[in-house]
Amino acid sequence: MQNNFPIVVLLSGRGSNFQALTQRLSDAHICAVISDKPEAPGLEFARDHGIKTFAFDRQDFPTKIAQKEAIYSAVDSFKSKLIVLAGFMQIIEAPFVERNLGRILNIHPSLLPRHPGLHTHERALEAKDEEHGCTVHFVDAGVDTGPVVAQAATKIAPGESAEALAGRVLALEHDIYPWAVSNIARGEISILGREVSYSVRCRAEADGHGFRIGREACPQAAETNGA
Ligand code: GRF
């Protein structure tokens, strides 16, 4: 359904978070899916569901930065309210981040600031963490360092494999990402500078879902009540 909150999704691979967004978003709609990988299965799902897709293959550009600039121009052309990274396996250049501060969202498969970067499930097991999970955060110029929106956590079971843990965390991702994007679309979650604010209703919802927000998710976060 069309509404006032168009979002663009960027992905590089299977697109299960994108699929969850198509099924569970409210008060936002996906106006385009953009990829650096023409063969990404997520693009096929988008096409099958009548969502516009754009792929920018590295081999069609003289340099990687030229490819990225084409992706950024395509994203800009939609004038979306939010740019949602859903397994987009590229570093985003600082000038693009800076001109879109507070408008780029990512989901990361760990409880940040633990385990930024890759292979998070293996690293959580190696570190003998008691719990693991995922984090929705706004994107800044660093790698997985932007302001945290919400986290979903799970206890690591004794002897659990990285594959099993990854599957359980992915299911949490599919719950929390559409929830976070929908709440941003409704203005129940907002950001000013690096400070993320939540409405009373959103706080109650997060509690109901068992999601961590604000200081509970990120002890350094400032605590304010949004609208
Ligand atoms: C997810 O684990 C997400 O946390 C990370 O990339 C992966 C994407 O998976 N950013 P999918 O393509 O959404 O299935």
Side-chain angles (χ1 to χ4, degrees):
M1 195 182 73
Q2 296 295 298
N3 51 46
N4 227 353
F5 203 90
I7 67 175
V8 168
V9 173
L10 292 182
L11 57 77
S12 302
R14 78 190 149 184
S16 70
N17 276 286
F18 158 60
Q19 290 189 34
L21 289 165
T22 64
Q23 287 151 8
R24 299 186 181 180
L25 267 186
S26 53
D27 300 303
H29 68 275
I30 300 168
C31 59
V33 179
I34 298 175
S35 182
D36 58 324
K37 295 270 186 282
E39 69 283 6
L43 290 178
E44 200 179 320
F45 179 89
R47 284 190 291 267
D48 288 349
H49 288 75
I51 301 171
K52 281 187 197 148
T53 64
F54 300 85
F56 297 88
D57 195 347
R58 172 69 185 83
Q59 68 187 20
D60 294 336
F61 295 88
T63 60
K64 188 160 187 65
I65 192 64
Q67 177 199 21
K68 303 276 269 305
E69 289 298 343
I71 291 174
Y72 300 150
S73 299
V75 173
D76 287 343
S77 74
F78 284 97
K79 302 195 188 318
S80 63
K81 294 271 175 66
L82 197 66
I83 298 156
V84 176
L85 308 184
F88 184 59
M89 301 303 285
Q90 297 285 342
I91 301 288
I92 311 241
E93 272 69 23
F96 183 78
V97 171
E98 273 147 29
R99 70 175 185 263
N100 289 292
L101 261 192
R103 290 203 311 117
I104 310 177
L105 204 65
N106 186 38
I107 187 154
H108 180 76
S110 80
L111 296 171
L112 291 171
R114 287 192 73 69
H115 312 307
L118 299 175
H119 310 301
T120 57
H121 312 299
E122 291 82 355
R123 285 159 60 206
L125 291 175
E126 274 161 28
K128 302 200 183 321
D129 290 353
E130 284 183 4
E131 61 170 16
H132 187 45
C134 56
T135 304
V136 178
H137 66 94
F138 285 102
V139 172
D140 67 7
V143 176
D144 303 323
T145 53
V148 169
V149 174
Q151 294 183 324
T154 182
K155 291 262 175 256
I156 298 181
E160 188 164 18
S161 68
E163 293 69 31
L165 184 57
R168 291 199 303 116
V169 169
L170 193 63
L172 295 176
E173 295 183 33
H174 297 165
D175 286 340
I176 200 170
Y177 213 14
W179 178 83
V181 175
S182 300
N183 272 284
I184 291 169
R186 285 195 285 274
E188 309 269 352
I189 297 176
S190 55
I191 181 164
L192 192 60
R194 293 187 67 85
E195 195 174 303
V196 180
S197 301
Y198 309 88
S199 69
V200 172
R201 175 182 150 171
C202 171
R203 286 176 179 279
E205 262 185 35
D207 208 35
H209 287 284
F211 298 151
R212 297 174 185 173
I213 59 171
R215 213 170 268 164
E216 204 194 347
C218 180
Q220 306 91 317
E223 279 275 321
T224 52
N225 280 310

